[in-house]
């Protein structure tokens, strides 16, 4: 590697020199919460329609028995395919956490979903590392690899020009590949040179475009990021070459995919502070884009406060700026995948059910006559007033007009539920896990997961997670 301090060299040094003892205090507490949340959404996501064709594809390939996919402890696959399954499941419901931006001009909440790529990569490698070393991967080792990948991904996402996302790249797929690579490199114990080459390999794999939002391919971006990270680390380990300044060197990733970036914003701040701690991470209360959550809560709270029933609603108007309305693609949703990108559906679910969780995100409910009828009463409008307030917060306003002509209004809370300013409690997070695990794991098994994760750094064998989360997922995909 060059002696010049590049972002790649700073990251490789961080990956290879940061010890397990760096994960302590609030950072450790938050890492456990992110792991539990990631396991929850992967478990629930493994039931989603897109997982069946992905599973059928994976099962046709065969290969070395290196790692288990989440929810299918009876199957052992090549590690990169185990990562592909778990990562895709984790983003299948768009319920995984969200990184907060901190740099100037970065759209609030529009950086990446930081947990799933490194978590899926780490889970996929616990068996292989145990096979090769003759001893299990400890919980502390697992958490260290996960948190390392989380931090690397967040810092690269902060460094890249925000135009990367605005032009149509899906950051969780593109930058997620680097997060997964960092976690995999840490799990495998790569040295600095190998890690730099792994990052270089990942730079040529990084992909994902927003045109595929609302289809099975959107969660595939995150699965592919995890797969690419594992592949890059394994290839670098056996000698495959790559540019060792592939992030901010000439023709590096920041230059061509932004275009441009500001590596100097983060080059000396990797782990100082950890992004997981400051500015923090949002753990989602709803399985849709984080930009929709304040509006959904405003709808929920307004109906509860005013005693409004679904049959009372004549119309709903959501006013917001372009940062909130821009990613929303579907006026009326007819599938659960479209529903994640349709304010009409998201607000209709709140209006009809008072909630919006795993049970509401089904094709049957989204396309039901009652859902379509309510969606048709809901409109959105661009508000220049809200746009002029800036993008440092997720701002919107809900107006409900009832059948008697009364207009009820509420602004979305800037400190939305799930954000670091208004986080879900541990009990609420366990409730989210239970929602995802419903019909898959018994209450006793769910409690065993909680007990294990809340003290994960003390566990002797992190692979126990595979047994605890097993529901024979790959046996359900069909021929």
């Amino acid at each position: 590697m060059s002696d010049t301090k590049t972002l790649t060299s700073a990251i490789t040094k961080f990956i290879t020199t940061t010890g397990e003892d760096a994960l302590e205090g609030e950072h450790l507490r938050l890492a456990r919460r992110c792991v539990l949340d990631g396991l929850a959404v992967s478990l629930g996501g493994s039931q989603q329609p897109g997982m069946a064709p992905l599973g059928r594809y994976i099962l046709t390939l065969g290969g070395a028995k290196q790692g288990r996919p989440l929810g299918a402890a009876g199957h052992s696959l090549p590690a990169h395919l185990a990562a592909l399954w778990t990562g895709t499941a984790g983003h299948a419901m768009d319920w995984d956490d969200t990184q907060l931006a901190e740099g100037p001009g970065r759209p609030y909440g529009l950086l990446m979903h930081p947990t799933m790529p490194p978590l899926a990569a780490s889970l996929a490698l616990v068996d292989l590392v145990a096979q090769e070393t003759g001893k299990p991967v400890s919980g502390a080792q697992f958490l260290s690899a996960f948190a390392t990948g989380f931090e690397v991904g967040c810092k690269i996402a902060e460094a890249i020009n925000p135009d990367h996302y605005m032009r149509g790249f899906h950051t969780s797929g593109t930058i997620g590949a680097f997060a997964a690579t960092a976690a995999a490199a840490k799990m495998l114990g790569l040295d600095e040179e190998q890690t730099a080459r792994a990052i270089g390999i990942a730079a040529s794999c990084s992909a994902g475009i927003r045109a595929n939002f609302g289809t099975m391919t959107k969660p595939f971006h995150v699965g592919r990021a995890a797969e690419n990270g594992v592949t890059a680390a394994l290839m670098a380990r056996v000698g495959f070459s790559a540019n060792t300044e592939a992030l901010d060197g000439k023709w590096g990733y920041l230059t061509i995919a932004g275009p441009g970036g500001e590596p100097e914003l983060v080059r000396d701040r990797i782990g100082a502070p950890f992004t997981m701690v400051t500015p923090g991470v949002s753990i989602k209360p709803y399985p849709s884009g984080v930009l929709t959550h304040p509006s959904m809560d405003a709808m929920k709270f307004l109906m509860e406060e005013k005693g409004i029933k679904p049959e009372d609603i004549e119309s709903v108007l959501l006013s917001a700026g372009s940062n909130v309305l821009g990613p929303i693609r579907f006026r009326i949703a007819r599938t659960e995948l479209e529903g994640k990108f349709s304010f009409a559906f998201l607000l209709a679910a709140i209006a009809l059910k008072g909630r919006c969780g795993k049970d509401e995100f089904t094709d049957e409910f989204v396309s039901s006559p009652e859902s379509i009828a309510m969606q048709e009463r809901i409109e959105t409008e661009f508000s220049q007033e809200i746009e002029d307030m800036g993008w440092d917060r997720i701002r919107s306003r809900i107006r409900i007009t009832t059948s008697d002509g009364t207009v009820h209004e509420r602004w979305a809370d800037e400190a939305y539920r799930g954000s670091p300013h208004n986080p879900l409690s541990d009990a609420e997070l366990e409730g989210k896990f239970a929602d995802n695990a419903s019909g898959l794991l018994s209450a006793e098994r769910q409690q065993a997961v909680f007990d294990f994760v809340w003290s994960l750094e003390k566990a002797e064998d992190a692979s126990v997670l595979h047994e605890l989360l097993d529901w024979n997922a790959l046996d359900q995909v069909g021929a």
Side-chain angles (χ1 to χ4, degrees):
M1 291 178 60
S2 167
D3 291 334
T4 302
K5 188 174 183 183
T6 64
L7 184 55
T8 307
S9 66
I11 284 173
T12 55
K13 184 174 180 61
F14 171 77
I15 294 169
T16 55
T17 61
T18 303
E20 294 172 9
D21 57 352
L23 195 60
E24 59 183 3
E26 183 67 358
H27 189 203
L28 173 60
R29 186 185 76 84
L30 293 173
R32 292 193 211 104
R33 282 170 54 88
C34 288
V35 167
L36 182 61
D37 187 57
L39 297 175
V41 298
S42 295
L43 185 65
S46 65
Q47 273 191 304
Q48 293 299 296
M51 298 306 293
L54 179 63
R56 289 192 290 271
Y57 161 72
I58 288 173
L59 290 177
T60 66
L61 299 178
K65 298 182 182 300
Q66 298 175 321
R68 286 171 286 177
L70 185 138
H75 291 265
S76 188
L77 310 169
H80 68 285
L81 295 179
L84 171 63
W85 167 274
T86 302
T88 303
H91 196 54
M93 292 187 293
D94 215 328
W95 212 347
D96 44 331
D97 57 15
T98 306
Q99 173 193 357
L100 272 69
E102 57 179 328
R106 272 96 178 133
Y108 186 82
L110 281 182
L111 289 185
M112 69 174 292
H113 297 275
T115 282
M116 281 319 307
L119 180 60
S122 300
L123 282 167
L125 286 168
V126 291
D127 291 345
L128 178 60
V129 172
Q131 291 167 16
E132 293 181 343
T133 63
K135 60 182 181 179
V137 172
S138 70
Q141 183 182 350
F142 178 86
L143 273 171
S144 178
F146 161 69
T148 296
F150 187 109
E151 174 68 2
V152 167
C154 287
K155 286 301 195 284
I156 296 174
E158 194 69 56
I160 201 165
N161 189 320
D163 194 43
H164 177 74
Y165 183 88
M166 303 309 292
R167 289 173 64 208
F169 284 105
H170 182 201
T171 318
S172 300
T174 57
I175 307 303
F178 298 109
T181 301
K186 192 75 169 176
M187 285 287 290
L188 294 168
L190 301 191
D191 63 27
E192 193 168 342
E193 175 71 20
Q194 290 170 325
T195 300
R197 286 190 279 109
I199 291 170
I201 295 167
S204 284
C205 299
S206 169
I209 57 172
R210 289 167 59 198
N212 275 313
F213 281 20
T215 74
M216 293 175 182
T217 300
K218 181 181 189 279
F220 175 73
H221 294 165
V222 174
R224 194 63 148 174
E227 178 187 13
N228 286 337
V230 170
T231 299
L234 289 172
M235 290 179 69
R237 186 173 70 160
V238 295
F240 206 78
S241 69
N243 190 315
T244 56
E245 296 179 359
L247 288 174
D248 49 343
K250 185 177 182 181
W251 298 322
Y253 194 81
L254 296 184
T255 301
I256 64 170
E262 299 176 90
E264 63 276 5
L265 286 176
V266 302
R267 196 164 46 215
D268 298 320
R269 295 175 51 248
I270 304 169
F274 291 98
T275 299
M276 191 184 291
V277 179
T278 303
V281 61
S282 296
I283 291 181
K284 292 182 173 185
Y286 302 116
S288 58
V290 69
L291 292 173
T292 66
H293 294 180
S295 303
M296 295 166 73
D297 270 351
M299 182 81 176
K300 175 180 172 65
F301 299 150
L302 185 56
M303 290 186 67
E304 291 172 351
E305 290 165 1
K306 302 300 182 181
I308 301 170
K309 297 180 174 57
E311 58 269 23
D312 298 332
I313 296 174
E314 181 70 26
S315 64
V316 177
L317 178 64
L318 167 68
S319 304
S322 58
N323 65 322
V324 172
L325 297 179
I328 305 304
R329 300 185 59 200
F330 299 98
R331 168 66 188 89
I332 300 290
R334 300 186 185 278
T335 69
E336 63 93 12
L337 287 170
E338 291 178 354
K340 298 180 186 302
F341 301 93
S342 168
F343 262 124
F345 169 71
L346 298 171
L347 299 180
I350 296 293
L352 292 168
K353 301 295 186 179
R355 50 166 278 135
C356 195
K358 187 174 78 167
D359 291 344
E360 286 67 48
F361 276 93
T362 65
D363 289 347
E364 291 75 19
F365 177 68
V366 175
S367 62
S368 67
E370 63 172 342
S371 169
I372 298 298
M374 184 61 74
Q375 289 187 60
E376 289 173 346
R377 293 181 236 170
I378 298 171
E379 298 283 352
T380 64
E381 70 168 8
F382 170 78
S383 168
Q384 189 63 51
E385 172 195 2
I386 296 175
E387 183 83 0
D388 290 343
M389 294 180 184
W391 288 9
D392 60 319
R393 289 290 185 267
I394 306 174
R395 300 181 173 92
S396 65
R397 181 178 59 233
I398 291 283
R399 286 195 179 109
I400 301 176
T401 302
T402 54
S403 52
D404 63 1
T406 304
V407 177
H408 304 277
E409 179 177 298
R410 180 179 174 120
W411 281 82
D413 292 330
E414 292 188 354
Y416 62 91
R417 275 197 315 136
S419 74
H421 317 292
N422 185 16
L424 300 183
S425 67
D426 287 351
E428 287 176 314
L429 184 52
E430 289 183 357
K432 177 178 175 179
F433 185 97
D435 189 2
N436 279 277
S438 63
L440 303 178
L441 303 183
S442 67
E444 293 76 17
R445 188 101 69 83
Q446 292 176 39
Q447 186 59 53
V449 173
F450 301 153
D451 294 342
F452 191 80
V453 174
W454 291 140
S455 59
L456 182 54
E457 74 281 6
K458 300 174 184 177
E460 294 181 359
D461 185 359
S463 73
V464 169
L465 287 168
H466 283 297
E467 281 80 27
L468 290 174
L469 295 161
D470 180 40
W471 69 276
N472 301 316
L474 274 174
D475 296 331
Q476 314 299 319
V477 302

